[in-house]
Amino acid sequence: MPLHPPFGLRRPAYGGDYNPEQWPESTWQEDVRLMREARVNLVSVGIFSWAQIEPEPGVYAFDRLDRVLGLLHDNGIAADLATPTVAPPAWFYRAHPDALPVTREGVRHAFGSRGAICHSNSAYRRAAARITTELAQRYAGHPALALWHVHNEYGAPVAACYCDGCAAHFRHWLAARHGSVEAVNDAWGTAFWGQHYTGLEQIDPPRLTPGVCNPAQQLDYRRFADATMRENFCAERDILHRLAPGIPVTTNFMTALSQCDTVDYWAWGREVDIVTNDHYLITDGRRTHVNLAMTADLTRSVAHGAPWLLLEHSTSAVNWQPRNPAKRPGEMARNSLAHIARGSQGALFFQWRQSRQGAEKFHSAMLPQAGTDSRVWREVVRLGADIAALTPVLDTSTVADVAVVWDWQSWWAQALEGRPSVDHDARERADSFYEALYDRHLTVHFAPPEADLSAYPLVVVPALYLMNRAAADNLRRYVENGGTLVVSYFSGIVDEHDTVHEGPYPGALRDVLGLTVEEFSPLPEGARVRLSGPDGTELSADVWTESVVPRGAETVWHYTDGPVRGGPAVTRHRLGKGTAWYVSTRLAAPALDPVLRAACQDAGLDLRDDLPRDVEVVHRSGEDGTWVFVINHGEEPVDVTLPGPGTDLLGNGRTGSRPTVPAGGVRIVRLDD
Ligand code: GAL
């Protein structure tokens, strides 16, 4: 069984979460008939089925799941079979009420939803191992089994538990990480505010405190909570590997920064056999296709460029936002194909058939409440055929142009209290820099701070506040060897313990940027400052300013008003064979463009000024050639210049080197050799 998606399926994966336990068995026949009509070849089964398959402790009822898997297999549909450990049954919690997680305020959650788990709880860990073992023993050789799906979206809805069991577990974790209570005192700076500990047993989770709780303690607790969930994932994974060798194991990530901030996916990406991801559009007025592209790029990066799979998205509306608009005609296909452009080996949805009961009955599905005489169903069938035609791209990889350095731990640190401005948001910086790169049609690879960046002519560092020495050396080497670096304000300020690097800010980056920052001077809410730069270009910024002192860098834009009027705002520093830019204020994506344009010129990148910003152009390349995905998210048809003529996989035949892509349309062109 091949380890990478689509796991020996002959074409890209297409399907969704299949929860047949909601329906009488008579419905199942219709389900598989319609799945075949839509060309579904992979479904996720059993994610929330623990109560059905273990109705009483140690009593197993696999007959329904046997029939579901048999029916799927008979119809040529493979299963992504889940361990149901995100939803322990009611009987389990009656016996082990302390497996329900406790909030920071000391409130214990109740049964009645899902994902209410204290990951330190030993009864939970034992029960999860037991049900995983039973499933693996029963289905290891099942012909429908293509992939194991452990748990569901670790980190949501509960990021961390603060119970006494977790407190004890945390102390062990601290001992392993720091070695001694004195080392914890040093790392956390407990000399301040009289927080000194004389024994590890005195340390608690960062529960509700009257004032700001020690930030380094909070940061370590986030690391601990993340590591604890990962321990549980690895325990299940190891059982599955042992009992069902050769079947890849995944757990569905939620890499969208707007949807999950609780787990460090750099670490998780190393533990799964293949990366899978769930993505839902957040309709808050921002350009949803940009956030989708960013999530897909981040997912591919977490997979270290290896094939990944979109395991969930929606055919139309979700039901968990305050307002849940339906997708517009064609939007679902654009969404799915954009994920595939950026490396997914198919597209799956939550869920196959729309629920009639429970918490998600107003969430869209592949087979909607409206039935088959509906726009959604017709688009689902059409997309199934289109995705089947993409088989040739399976052996290719997405080509990235530039790198963005991202780090979950640095993000966590910036969200803690006691920072210079509540208006600064590391995720917003990542979003805006990404959006500016997207609008220049540059495909992004995300990299952890210590990764080798030498393959990328341009590297962007949006607000990497927490930066250790190794990361700083890495960036310095990158520039010295000829790279072009763009760094946002509030980068390189503290080490991994949230301790400020010695000397003037930004301690880790002073040399590479050729400057120091004497003082931060964030702006009042809503206030703006103006910048003036080359050829009189004026930019407008907000949130943040600071007193930059050039020490080798040249000033390219300077402040013309605000608290540091006349001072440097955007600088450029030549170092070795490369260049390092610094942006000391918050420029929104359009205002970042002139800066990135100049940096792209330093980096020798093609500026693609000819294309409207809402036209997405992404290349997938392999030994058999190059496929260009062109997705027009705009309202007007666009003529797009390609590197040469080719053939459109979506049935539009031969194309010249300047095909017209209709408004809302997609072209996937295999370039001629
Ligand atoms: C996901 C979850 C699914 C479903 C979906 C709805 O986060 O894994 O089970 O709830 O959201 O959008």
Side-chain angles (χ1 to χ4, degrees), residues 48 114 152-153 252 278 280 312 318 320 350 360 363:
F48 305 102
R114 62 174 173 181
N152 194 62
E153 293 178 345
N252 47 341
D278 300 347
Y280 293 93
E312 291 181 24
V318 298
W320 38 258
F350 172 85
E360 299 193 291
H363 191 294

Side-chain angles (χ1 to χ4, degrees), residues 420 493 500 503-507 510 514-522 544-551 559 563-564 567-568 582 584:
I493 306 294
V500 174
Y505 310 131
R510 287 188 297 257
L515 53 81
T516 56
V517 172
E518 198 170 309
E519 198 175 23
F520 304 134
S521 199
W544 193 278
T545 64
E546 54 189 24
S547 315
V548 173
V549 182
R551 299 187 191 275
Y559 293 104
V564 285
Y582 183 61
S584 71

Side-chain angles (χ1 to χ4, degrees), residues 178-202:
H178 295 282
S180 68
V181 70
E182 273 320 315
V184 175
N185 281 315
D186 283 351
W188 292 2
T190 56
F192 192 68
W193 277 6
Q195 292 165 0
H196 190 78
Y197 298 100
T198 52
L200 284 173
E201 75 288 349
Q202 296 159 10

Side-chain angles (χ1 to χ4, degrees), residues 28-48:
W28 301 0
Q29 291 295 339
E30 186 190 46
D31 283 336
V32 288
R33 179 175 62 74
L34 292 173
M35 283 180 192
R36 288 169 63 127
E37 187 178 324
R39 311 195 62 163
V40 164
N41 60 357
L42 181 69
V43 292
S44 302
V45 183
I47 303 172
F48 305 102

